[in-house]
């Protein structure tokens, strides 16, 4: 099987799998602009958890390839038309856009991103499975099951029959002892690889509990502010919070949700459904600190946002005891992982 690093070196390999954009959401939900087709440079950087500068450097090095897979820059009337159709508000004179194919192309070029590496590994795993399957889809399930049983049978024979046979030969042989030991080591390597292959197939074909459900963040990005607040309230109730009240809007005194944690502590929550390329800034955090601690006397204060937080905002949160629920943590929480602060 091809190693994932091969995609970094071979454009031919990359071109051959560019249509497998579904892999992106299998690894991590990719949020799109309101047009449902494109993402911006900042959104791609957020997805891969790298800086915008790192992504721009990658585009500069591989611009032609990325343009062939759907990357393009809008300016002038084309940009104005796109803004009016998509509802994007930007004062920039140009806007770089990536299609899903271009984002997948980035994943196959970006070296210093764990998310990109996971995409490459998963992509090659799925390609391997697809090529190992017979053309006739009507016998797909039976054939894969048969192949799986054959792999297990071969592994069993190697481990229980062939290796013990080599052990016996080695004990009684003098002249060819070194050669037999080398052959036994080779058989044991094959046995281990077959076992690893079987484990990988089970992992890919089974339910992946370690990945958030596909489309979790995309669904939240499509919500309006009020719907998002009720979604967070639902998560709080799911995790055992009581007396949960959504009070966002005029007269909310700086918080959107109040309630009690499962062990009875006073809880307040601020919800911000911002575009993923925006940030929660220091002034945003300072306002919430005042509302949560002074006006509401909160024992547990959550600042929940669909976008990143600036480093200064994170520092203020850490100093004042505010729990930050950033985009990545929100994705995990929405997919079923409870917040530890609520336990």
């Amino acid at each position: 099987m091809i190693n994932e690093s091969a995609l970094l070196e071979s454009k031919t390999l990359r071109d051959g799998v560019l249509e497998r954009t579904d892999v992106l959401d299998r690894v991590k939900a990719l949020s799109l602009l309101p047009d449902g087709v494109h993402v911006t440079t900042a959104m791609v950087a957020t997805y891969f958890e790298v800086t915008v500068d790192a992504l721009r450097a990658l585009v500069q090095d591989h611009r032609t390839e990325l343009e062939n897979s759907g990357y393009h820059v809008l300016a002038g009337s084309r940009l104005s038309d796109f803004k009016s159709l998509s509802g994007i508000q930007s004062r920039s004179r140009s806007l770089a856009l990536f299609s899903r194919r271009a984002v997948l192309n980035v994943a196959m070029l970006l070296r210093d991103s764990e998310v990109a590496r996971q995409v490459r590994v998963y992509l090659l795993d799925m390609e391997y499975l697809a090529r190992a399957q017979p053309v006739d889809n009507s016998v797909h399930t039976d054939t894969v099951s048969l192949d799986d049983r054959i792999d297990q049978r071969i592994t069993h024979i190697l481990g229980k029959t062939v290796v013990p046979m080599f052990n016996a030969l080695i004990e009684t042989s003098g002249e060819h002892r070194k050669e037999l030991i080398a052959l036994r080591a080779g058989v044991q390597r094959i046995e281990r690889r077959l076992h690893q292959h079987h484990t990988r197939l089970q992992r890919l074909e089974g339910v992946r509990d370690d990945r958030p459900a596909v489309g979790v963040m995309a669904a939240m990005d499509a919500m309006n502010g009020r719907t998002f607040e009720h979604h967070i309230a639902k998560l709080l109730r799911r995790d055992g919070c009581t007396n949960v009240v959504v009070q966002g809007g005029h007269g909310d005194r700086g918080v959107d949700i109040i309630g009690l944690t499962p062990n009875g502590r006073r809880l307040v929550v601020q919800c911000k459904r911002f575009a993923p390329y925006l940030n929660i800034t220091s002034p945003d955090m300072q306002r919430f600190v005042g509302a949560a601690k002074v006006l509401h006397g909160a024992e547990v204060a959550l600042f929940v946002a669909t976008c990143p937080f600036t480093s200064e905002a994170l520092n203020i949160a850490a100093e004042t005891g505010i729990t930050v629920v950033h985009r990545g943590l929100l994705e995990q929480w929405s997919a079923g992982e409870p917040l530890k602060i609520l336990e």
Side-chain angles (χ1 to χ4, degrees):
M1 183 174 173
I2 300 171
N3 187 282
E4 56 92 13
S5 61
L7 288 170
L8 294 166
E9 311 299 335
S10 173
K11 183 177 182 301
T12 301
L13 284 177
R14 295 194 293 270
D15 289 343
V17 294
L18 271 178
E19 299 304 321
R20 299 302 304 269
T21 58
D22 59 302
V23 170
L24 294 168
D25 286 318
R26 292 176 182 269
V27 173
K28 180 181 178 182
L30 175 66
S31 299
L32 302 174
L33 289 172
D35 69 347
V37 177
H38 297 100
V39 290
T40 65
T41 302
M43 293 168 73
V44 178
T46 298
Y47 177 85
F48 289 114
E49 298 174 7
V50 299
T51 64
V52 170
D53 288 342
L55 189 59
R56 285 172 176 163
L58 180 78
V59 171
Q60 186 175 357
D61 292 340
H62 302 276
R63 189 178 185 103
T64 300
E65 179 178 342
L66 290 171
E67 285 178 342
N68 289 336
S69 60
Y71 170 83
H72 58 286
V73 179
L74 297 181
S77 60
R78 292 180 62 202
L79 177 58
S80 299
D81 292 343
F82 184 80
K83 286 180 181 179
S84 62
L85 290 173
S86 64
I88 292 178
Q89 296 181 356
S90 172
R91 296 179 180 179
S92 175
R93 295 183 178 180
S94 63
L95 180 65
L97 296 175
F98 294 75
S99 66
R100 287 177 62 87
R101 291 175 81 250
V103 176
L104 182 58
N105 207 151
V106 169
M108 293 186 281
L109 292 167
L110 194 57
R111 294 179 182 272
D112 299 326
S113 165
E114 178 59 24
V115 176
R117 191 195 69 80
Q118 291 176 17
V119 171
R120 292 192 295 270
V121 170
Y122 199 81
L123 179 62
L124 289 174
D125 284 346
M126 296 305 292
E127 276 296 296
Y128 177 81
L129 286 176
R131 293 180 183 183
Q133 293 169 3
V135 175
D136 184 359
N137 290 329
S138 64
V139 297
H140 163 76
T141 303
D142 292 339
T143 305
V144 171
S145 178
L146 177 60
D147 289 344
D148 185 54
R149 291 198 300 271
I150 290 173
D151 283 347
Q152 294 182 61
R153 183 62 178 163
I154 292 173
T155 305
H156 177 79
I157 291 172
L158 289 175
K160 300 298 182 182
T161 305
V162 178
V163 171
M165 179 185 69
F166 272 110
N167 291 337
L169 288 172
I170 290 168
E171 290 296 324
T172 58
S173 175
E175 183 180 355
H176 301 290
R177 183 179 177 83
K178 289 184 178 180
E179 289 87 344
L180 288 169
I181 290 174
L183 285 171
R184 181 183 63 182
V187 170
Q188 289 173 323
R189 282 196 298 272
I190 293 172
E191 180 190 2
R192 286 195 299 270
R193 287 176 182 173
L194 281 171
H195 178 71
Q196 291 167 355
H197 171 66
H198 174 65
T199 302
R200 173 172 276 184
L201 284 177
Q202 285 185 318
R203 173 174 60 82
L204 288 172
E205 293 171 352
V207 176
R208 295 298 308 274
D209 293 330
D210 58 333
R211 287 195 188 118
V214 173
V216 167
M217 289 308 301
M220 275 185 278
D221 288 336
M223 296 176 182
N224 59 34
R226 191 66 171 175
T227 304
F228 179 61
E229 291 168 2
H230 282 280
H231 172 71
I232 300 304
K234 183 178 179 181
L235 295 179
L236 293 169
R237 296 187 187 103
R238 182 201 69 189
D239 289 351
C241 295
T242 59
N243 298 345
V244 176
V245 177
V246 178
Q247 59 176 32
H250 183 69
D252 61 13
R253 303 185 73 192
V255 302
D256 297 316
I257 302 172
I258 59 173
L260 298 175
T261 66
N263 58 6
R265 291 173 293 168
R266 189 177 296 106
L267 168 72
V268 301
V269 185
Q270 176 70 283
C271 304
K272 292 295 184 185
R273 198 214 61 77
F274 285 174
Y277 50 84
L278 299 177
N279 289 291
I280 300 300
T281 63
S282 171
D284 296 325
M285 186 61 69
Q286 291 176 37
R287 283 192 293 271
F288 179 56
V289 170
K293 300 294 185 177
V294 178
L295 296 179
H296 293 272
E299 296 170 274
V300 177
L302 308 181
F303 199 129
V304 183
T306 56
C307 64
F309 291 71
T310 65
S311 58
E312 189 175 355
L314 291 173
N315 289 337
I316 295 172
E319 292 170 2
T320 56
I322 303 297
T323 298
V324 170
V325 183
H326 53 72
R327 189 175 180 85
L329 184 56
L330 175 57
E331 184 176 45
Q332 295 172 10
W333 188 25
S334 295
E337 184 72 21
L339 284 181
K340 293 185 178 180
I341 190 65
L342 300 177
E343 294 176 353

